[in-house]
Every structure is written in C-alpha cells, then in structure tokens.
Amino acid sequence: MEAPAPIPPEIILRGIGVADGIAFGPLHRLETAPPPVPEDPVPPSRAPVELRRLDAALAAATARLRELQANLAAAGNPDAAALFEAQLDALADPEYTGEIRTAIRANRLNAARAVQTVSGKYAAALAALSDPYLRERAADVRDVALRLLRLLAGQADSADLPATPHILYARDLSPSDLAAAPRDSLLALATAEGGPTSHTAILARSLGIPALVGIPDWGPAAPPAPGPVLLDGTAGLLVFRPAPARQSAAAKRIRARNRLGARLAKLRDLPSETLDGTPIALRANIESPDAAPRVLAAGADGVGLFRSEYLFMDGTTLPDEDRQLRAYTSIARSLAPAPVTVRTLDLGGDKLTRHLDFPPEDNPAMGCRALRLCLARPDLFKPQLRALLRAAAESSNLRIMYPMVNDLADLRAAEAVRLACADELTAEGIPHRRDIPVGVMVEVPSAALTAAWLATHVSFFSIGTNDLTQYTLAADRGNERVAHLCPLAHPAILRLIRLTAAAAQVAGIPACVCGEMAWHPELAPLLIGLGVSALSTSPDAIPGIKHVIRSLRLDEARTLADHVLTLETPDAILSACRTFLSSHTPDLLDD
Ligand code: PEP
Ligand code: MG
C-alpha cells in the first residue's frame, strides 16, 4: 500500500498586527500599480486639450474624495473621513497642480505623464524625510496620482475589488482604496508597506477590519501557496496552507466571536458581577472619541483607557486646548454617567506624530516617551491637562491617567503640572474641576514594586500588561524575534499584578488591567483571583469577558490564582486557565 502523500507544511509570513481580529478566506491580490502612461509628447496645439483633461480629472478626483468623506462621516467615522484632508489639500495645492500644468505647457508632456512625473518627484521628496509620519504622507501623494492617472486613462477611479468575501493583499493600499472597498466582502487586509501610524492602519482599526502591515511582498509571481489563507491581526500572521489544527483553532475563534456577538443582546444590560455578586467593572479601550456607540453597544461600563495620543496623530495640526476640550467633552457626555478615563499623551517609542520632532534615540522604548516626554514638553502637556480639567467641570465622569509612571517622583512631577494648570485656570476665571480623579498606569516594574506608596496618592490603578511584560522580561513587544519571551501570562507578571492589586486593596482603590491580558477570556478568572477589580479591553471582547465573570464565584477565582502561582511555566499557567474556563463557560471553547 502506498504511503499517504505528506501534508505540505504551512507557510507563515510575519508582519505587524495593526487591527485585531482573525479571518480565513481566499486571498485577493490588488495591483495598485498605475495604468500604463502614454509616452507621446504633446504638440503645442494640443496643450489646451491636455490641460482641460487635467482639470476634469482634478475636479472628478476632488468630488470622489468628498463623496468618500461624506460616506465615512455618515457611517459614524468622521475621524476616518478626515484622513482624506491631506489628499484634498494636494489636489487644491497651486504649487503641485501648477507644476503639472507647467509640465504640460512647457515640457510638452501629456497630462498623464505630467501627473506621473510631478507626483513622483513630490512623493520621493517626502519619502526621503527623516520624520516617519511625513514619510508615510508620500502615500497620500501616490494615492492622489493614482486616482488622477486612472481618471485620465478612463478607468474607474478606485480599485475594483471582488464582491465575494476575500482577504486583501496589496503592496501599499491607499486609505481611499480601503474606504471605497465593499465592506461586506472585505474580511481582512495585509500590506507590505505602511507602519502603525499609516493612514491605512488607522482606517482599518477604525472600520474594525483585522489588518497586518509589513508582510513581505512575493511580487508578481504566484502567491507562496494556493488556496485560502488565515490572517491573524492580533498575532500579526498571514498563514498560507494553514494546518488543520490552526484552521480549527481559528474557526473556533471566529465562531466564538460570532457567538459572543449574538449573546451581546442578552448580556448588554446585565451587570458585570460574579455569581456571588462581586462587581467587576468592565470597561472599553478606545482610540477615538467617536467610539462611544461601540462602547455603548458592547455594554461596557465606560472607558478604562482612551489612548489620547491618537488625537495627535491625525489632522493637519496638533489639537490645541479647545479642540481637545471638545473631544473629551464629547466622549464624556456620550457615556455619562459611566467613567471615561483619558490617558495623557503616550507618544514616543513607536508612536510618533508628524507634528513633533523626536530626536533619534538608541533605545526609544526606554527613552523620552509618554509621561517623560510630557514632563519635558509642558507646551504639550499643559494644554492637554487644561482641556481635561475644563471638560471635567461639566462632565464629572472624566478621569485622568498618567502613562509610564516609574514611581512617586514621576507622579508628583505630573501632579505639580496639573495643579499649576488648575491655578492658571482659576486665575483666568475659567471653570474647571481641580479634584478630578487621577490614576496611574502600572506598566513599569518599578511602579508595581512601589505600588503601596503610589496607591495612597491616586484614585485608581490600571495595569498595562503589554509594557509591564516588555519591561519586566526585557523583551521588545514589537520584535517578533523575541516574541517567545513575552508569553500571555508569565509567572513574574502574575506576581507583579498580585502585588499591585494587593496595594490597591489596602488603599481602598480599584485596580484595573487594561493591557492585552484583559482581552483573553481565559485569563479573566485568574486576573480576578489575583485581586483585580476591573478589566478594560476592546469593545468587541467585552461580551465574552462579561459572560466569564457572570459564570464564576470569587472564591473559585482566588483558588485558581493560588494554584496558578505555584506553576513555573507560562504553558502550565495557560493550560490551568483553559481548564477552568472549560469547566465554567464551555461554550467559549466549543469546537
Ligand atoms: C499597556 O502597555 O499594556 C497598555 C495598555 O498601553 P499601550 O498598549 O498603549 O502601551
Ligand atoms: Mg503601555
């Protein structure tokens, strides 16, 4: 008898997950290359015709971008709509369009060739800049040029995508192609180019599409393997020929997600409490004030982490005090009376903005980022604190949280700036709330180790397990070569969580977990058993976590935590947590 043919191994391409979620389906490669551009020179007599063609293309492109903006705004994504401002600016820029006209008139280029030449020059100049954000704006110019070239070639002005479900791969997908893509059939997307602050990544997150960037391009050849692929936006993987075990694990996750969605209607208004009636606050992590409807739909008790730095990454200018005041007031009003926790700027490291110069540092994750940057830049920190204090005068549900606090000295320095802002507002006669609740992120080991001192000076803790893991294990959270050193639940991290939660309990303040550990339902019983009183995570994960909380007793969670603290390896910890979950909410682990 012949031996069965060996199953070909899976091929895993690693990238950077920029939008959570998992999808399985056929891959559609989108060629974002521009249509062929005719070489023919233009005789002077034909220049007016080419200029009229250019004007028509500029007008059509502007109209199309405005339409895309309006559609996104109507769908509740005004932030995403703002992403097209840079392209509209380019279309209205007399320098850019003037240079194209000159190329037609003086250099005798046809309209398409003129657009291609001038845009190529602008994009190359932007791409050569040292500021990573500005470098990514080269994509905006390329996007505008592509739109114009398609219009001049008589093609549809945005990419045609299949109407059937697919995972999209493109070397460099423009935000407008993504916005124009039929939402019902786009399961997920992966690109070779772009970074975490690229507009396409921001847009994918805002639309809730799982996404990866940095996936190596296999070029015009056939993809690495035929057949459907699995994209894991959380783990940052694109898997060709996924093994049956991986497929069933993924299908399980997709089904679990769908089931949780269906259960949402039933759980939404039920309290987040254990079987014995212990409340565990369940809050949302958000990146934009427009996320309020998702927070409400998830049945979250407000916001545990508003990553305010995202307000500073978009738009044409830094948000000033008044613009921030409007943003904070809007989200706080929408969710009142539930708490809205705004984390002050956590810029630096890998989170950059084109509006600021970040001097190169050898080790940016440990450099001048987050609170350190704010303390060094009162011109940034003070308008934010003033906006928060002013917004809190009207919205008593607002809370301030400082990121990357090392110790009491850091907290005192931040509080000194905040109180100085309050004094200024008093002197200026501007209404504000001086006694706004203030908390700290516990995400540096020194903060966890001195939590007992910090706890007596703040209203709440929020444990950032992402950074806490990276700093405790000295392993860059963004580097897949050391990813194996950052497991989901490491014994050292559990000890720091317990220490922090115990310090909070003694001081009578809540301790939340807002890092990715809070996203995993199997870890919720352990975190609760370790003494955590609140969890904050993506809105889409909240129904499942609430289900877990409502299925356990506090004493069982504590017994689990006591047992898990005796386990030496992350694998053993995870397995104990999964066993607990399967005995309490088997539906979350069903095949
Ligand atoms: C964390 O570090 O766990 C956290 C929640 O903050 P961020 O992921 O934004 O660094
Ligand atoms: Mg952090």
Side-chain angles (χ1 to χ4, degrees):
M1 202 172 77
E2 261 184 52
I7 298 173
E10 48 184 25
I11 299 172
I12 302 177
L13 300 187
R14 286 175 197 282
I16 304 169
V18 293
D20 272 348
I22 190 159
F24 178 70
L27 190 72
H28 177 82
R29 185 186 169 105
L30 175 69
E31 286 312 333
T32 45
V37 173
E39 295 280 345
D40 339 337
V42 172
S45 62
R46 204 179 139 72
V49 177
E50 289 299 301
L51 287 168
R52 275 200 298 280
R53 292 182 64 230
L54 173 70
D55 283 339
L58 288 170
T62 305
R64 177 67 177 139
L65 284 172
R66 294 237 164 87
E67 185 190 323
L68 287 174
Q69 270 193 326
N71 292 347
L72 282 166
N77 279 301
D79 260 16
L83 297 180
F84 295 114
E85 279 309 324
Q87 294 185 37
L88 282 164
D89 285 351
L91 286 169
D93 178 0
E95 208 178 308
Y96 170 63
T97 55
E99 230 179 283
I100 301 175
R101 282 182 223 285
T102 306
I104 296 173
R105 263 195 303 260
N107 305 345
R108 304 180 59 192
L109 301 185
N110 63 56
R113 175 65 77 205
V115 165
Q116 186 190 46
T117 309
V118 173
S119 309
K121 192 182 99 182
Y122 271 68
L126 282 167
L129 296 175
S130 58
D131 179 334
Y133 190 94
L134 275 183
R135 273 207 308 273
E136 282 169 9
R137 298 292 73 75
D140 287 322
V141 173
R142 283 198 289 268
D143 194 21
V144 163
L146 180 60
R147 185 176 297 281
L148 291 173
L149 292 176
R150 283 176 181 155
L151 285 162
L152 287 165
Q155 296 179 354
D157 79 337
S158 57
D160 283 335
L161 291 174
T164 48
H166 63 279
I167 292 174
L168 184 64
Y169 179 84
R171 202 179 156 74
D172 185 14
L173 189 73
S174 73
S176 55
D177 275 338
L178 174 55
R183 183 61 197 93
D184 291 346
S185 55
L186 183 59
L187 300 174
L189 82 96
T191 62
E193 294 179 5
T197 63
S198 72
H199 279 159
T200 303
I202 296 168
L203 190 54
R205 274 195 293 275
S206 144
L207 296 172
I209 300 169
L212 306 175
V213 298
I215 292 291
D217 189 3
W218 53 88
V229 297
L230 190 146
L231 183 148
D232 189 335
T234 310
L237 303 177
L238 182 65
V239 185
F240 290 82
R241 225 159 33 206
R246 189 189 295 275
Q247 283 189 48
S248 61
K252 198 156 74 180
R253 279 171 64 193
I254 294 170
R255 272 200 301 276
R257 274 184 168 233
N258 293 343
R259 264 201 313 274
L260 297 183
R263 206 173 282 126
L264 184 68
K266 288 184 224 147
L267 290 184
R268 212 191 86 110
D269 299 320
L270 296 179
S272 172
E273 61 182 24
T274 59
L275 288 173
D276 49 292
T278 307
I280 304 292
L282 200 43
R283 310 214 153 103
N285 289 357
I286 61 168
E287 280 81 37
S288 153
D290 305 318
R294 287 174 63 217
V295 177
L296 290 168
D301 176 25
V303 169
L305 169 63
F306 175 10
R307 291 180 160 104
S308 71
E309 56 275 9
Y310 281 88
L311 290 176
F312 290 68
M313 292 185 190
D314 288 322
T316 44
T317 54
L318 276 182
D320 61 10
E321 183 177 323
D322 284 343
R323 205 158 101 209
Q324 290 188 63
L325 173 65
R326 286 195 294 278
Y328 305 141
T329 305
S330 135
I331 182 81
R333 268 192 201 150
S334 315
L335 300 177
V340 170
T341 315
V342 178
R343 178 174 72 184
T344 57
L345 272 177
D346 187 13
L347 281 172
D350 62 341
K351 283 187 255 181
L352 305 177
T353 164
R354 67 171 150 164
H355 307 300
L356 293 175
D357 268 345
F358 292 90
E361 293 177 295
D362 284 344
N363 204 341
M366 297 204 204
C368 187
R369 56 165 287 212
L371 183 61
R372 302 160 184 191
L373 177 74
C374 285
L375 292 173
R377 294 283 308 263
D379 57 315
L380 280 178
F381 199 23
K382 287 178 82 175
Q384 177 167 47
L385 291 172
R386 284 172 58 104
L388 284 164
L389 293 173
R390 287 172 63 190
E394 185 209 299
S395 303
S396 58
N397 54 331
L398 267 176
R399 320 193 300 173
I400 289 179
M401 177 159 77
Y402 300 125
M404 258 200 102
V405 168
N406 266 14
D407 51 24
L408 261 183
D410 269 352
L411 174 62
R412 288 189 174 127
E415 280 292 89
V417 183
R418 186 181 69 79
L419 294 174
C421 290
D423 291 344
E424 278 173 23
L425 291 167
T426 306
E428 292 163 30
I430 298 175
H432 63 281
R433 181 176 177 201
R434 189 184 178 89
D435 65 346
I436 182 172
V438 169
V440 291
M441 297 272 303
V442 177
E443 54 182 346
V444 181
S446 59
L449 294 166
T450 58
W453 291 337
L454 285 167
T456 57
H457 292 82
V458 292
S459 302
F460 60 92
F461 279 159
S462 197
I463 306 173
T465 50
N466 309 336
D467 278 319
L468 190 61
T469 303
Q470 112 162 317
Y471 293 128
T472 304
L473 298 166
D476 183 345
R477 65 193 255 197
N479 179 349
E480 80 271 3
R481 292 175 64 199
V482 291
H484 60 287
L485 299 177
C486 294
L488 217 48
H490 190 283
I493 303 305
L494 303 188
R495 279 159 175 76
L496 291 176
I497 293 174
R498 189 176 58 166
L499 194 63
T500 306
Q505 217 155 24
V506 170
I509 62 166
C512 181
V513 168
C514 64
E516 286 312 294
M517 278 183 85
W519 189 80
H520 296 271
E522 62 265 55
L523 297 184
L526 171 61
L527 294 173
I528 293 166
L530 288 170
V532 160
S533 58
L535 298 169
S536 189
T537 187
S538 320
D540 63 336
I542 284 176
I545 310 277
K546 193 188 266 188
H547 179 43
V548 174
I549 292 169
R550 292 178 56 80
S551 311
L552 59 81
R553 288 197 324 268
L554 186 60
D555 62 330
E556 293 175 309
R558 286 186 176 148
T559 306
L560 169 73
D562 287 344
H563 167 60
V564 161
L565 283 168
T566 67
L567 302 173
E568 292 170 4
T569 67
D571 282 351
I573 292 171
L574 217 49
S575 148
C577 290
R578 290 198 171 129
T579 305
F580 184 94
L581 195 72
S582 65
S583 67
H584 285 73
T585 53
D587 49 339
L588 288 185
L589 293 170
D590 266 350
D591 273 324

